[in-house]
């Protein structure tokens, strides 16, 4: 069973840059995993940010970007704002099993 | 306004059953794969199940396979999750999620507000 791992927590200063990663236990994450990224604030449903590795939704702020980095999916926040403090999850599609697997989540603190 | 509205959550005893519904507003469900995702209290997100646009293909997470059944009624613009043999570990907020699968593209773009299922004696 595939396990998808993210950094448990990251801290960033306002205006700074932070990169979150999403790793698969079965090997390198490629474009074929169609990584999606979500933001979730307490008491709210998740909100979609990035799809298919690096595409932004119409509502996604420009400071969010997705990529592949060193065999992992990555979400970069540039020019971080206080409202970016939240939990972030990745989602990978596992073609071998036709299952989807969420990452363990990263708590981003803006301090 | 495009949205998904879940209903049917509540308190159920271990071993019991419950059916969740997810109605779509502002768009036609028939063009999309639809999924259920859950989140236990204080925990992360977990994918549960999916159903193809025509209802003919379904897939389940190992943790619910054989106990949960996903289905859809495109005329009613509604997706369902029939849950049986419920255990305490099924306690979670259940979200309905729309996923658009295209040529070399997977787009998760719409979540419902969630419905809480509590399994307890």
């Amino acid at each position: 069973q595939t396990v998808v791992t993210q950094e448990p927590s990251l801290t960033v200063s306002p205006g700074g840059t932070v990169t979150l990663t999403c790793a698969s236990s079965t090997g390198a994450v490629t474009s074929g995993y169609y990584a999606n990224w979500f933001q979730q604030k307490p008491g709210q449903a998740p909100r979609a940010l990035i799809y298919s590795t690096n595409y932004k939704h119409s509502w996604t702020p420009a400071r969010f970007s997705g990529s592949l980095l060193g065999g992992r999916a990555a979400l970069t926040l540039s020019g971080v704002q206080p409202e970016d403090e939240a939990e972030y999850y990745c989602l990978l599609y596992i073609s071998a099993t036709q299952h989807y697997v969420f990452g363990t989540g990263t708590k981003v603190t803006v301090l | 306004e495009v949205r998904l509205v879940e209903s049917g959550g509540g308190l159920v005893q271990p071993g019991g059953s419950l059916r969740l519904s997810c109605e779509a507003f502002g768009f036609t469900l028939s063009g999309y794969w639809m999924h259920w995702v859950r989140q236990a209290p204080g925990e992360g997100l977990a994918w549960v199940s999916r159903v193809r646009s025509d209802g003919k293909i379904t897939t389940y997470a190992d943790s619910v396979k054989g106990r949960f059944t996903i289905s859809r009624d495109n005329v009613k613009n509604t997706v369902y999750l029939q849950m049986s043999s419920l255990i305490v570990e099924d306690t979670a907020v259940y979200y309905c999620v729309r996923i658009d699968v295209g040529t070399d593209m997977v787009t998760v773009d719409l979540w419902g507000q969630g419905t809480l299922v509590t399994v307890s004696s």
Side-chain angles (χ1 to χ4, degrees), chain B residues 33-65:
Chain B
W33 285 84
M34 294 299 297
H35 298 238
W36 287 95
V37 171
R38 69 184 182 183
Q39 187 169 35
E43 301 294 322
L45 300 170
W47 176 80
V48 173
S49 181
R50 68 171 185 171
V51 59
R52 199 173 69 176
S53 53
D54 60 5
K56 293 182 178 179
I57 292 179
T58 59
T59 316
Y60 299 91
D62 292 345
S63 58
V64 306
K65 196 169 185 179

Side-chain angles (χ1 to χ4, degrees), chain A residues 1 34 36 38 40 44-46 48 51-52 55 57 59 89 91 93 97-103, chain B residues 35 37 39 43-47 50 59-62 95 99 101 104-109 111-112:
Chain A
Q1 184 156 342
Y34 304 105
N36 278 250
F38 309 95
Q40 187 179 34
Q44 297 182 15
Y51 63 97
S52 294
Y55 292 85
H57 294 282
W59 55 83
Y89 294 94
L91 174 68
Y93 174 65
T97 58
Q98 298 186 36
H99 285 195
Y100 290 77
V101 182
F102 281 94
Chain B
H35 298 238
V37 171
Q39 187 169 35
E43 301 294 322
L45 300 170
W47 176 80
R50 68 171 185 171
T59 316
Y60 299 91
D62 292 345
Y95 295 102
I99 297 187
V101 179
D104 210 28
M105 195 78 77
V106 172
T107 307
V108 183
D109 65 349
W111 292 68

Side-chain angles (χ1 to χ4, degrees), chain A residues 28-97:
Chain A
V29 175
T30 65
S31 59
Y33 284 77
Y34 304 105
N36 278 250
W37 289 90
F38 309 95
Q39 178 192 68
Q40 187 179 34
K41 296 183 178 180
Q44 297 182 15
R47 180 176 77 129
L49 292 174
I50 299 290
Y51 63 97
S52 294
T53 303
N54 57 1
Y55 292 85
K56 298 180 188 181
H57 294 282
S58 58
W59 55 83
T60 303
R63 61 184 180 275
F64 291 88
S65 63
S67 64
L68 294 176
L69 199 63
R72 302 181 180 199
L75 175 70
T76 299
L77 288 66
S78 305
V80 170
Q81 302 296 308
E83 61 265 29
D84 297 335
E85 185 163 293
E87 192 85 21
Y88 291 83
Y89 294 94
C90 64
L91 174 68
L92 302 182
Y93 174 65
I94 312 300
S95 57
T97 58

Side-chain angles (χ1 to χ4, degrees), chain A residues 7-31:
Chain A
E7 297 84 3
S9 63
L10 293 169
T11 300
V12 58
S13 299
T17 296
V18 65
T19 297
L20 291 61
T21 68
C22 175
S24 170
S25 62
T26 58
V29 175
T30 65
S31 59

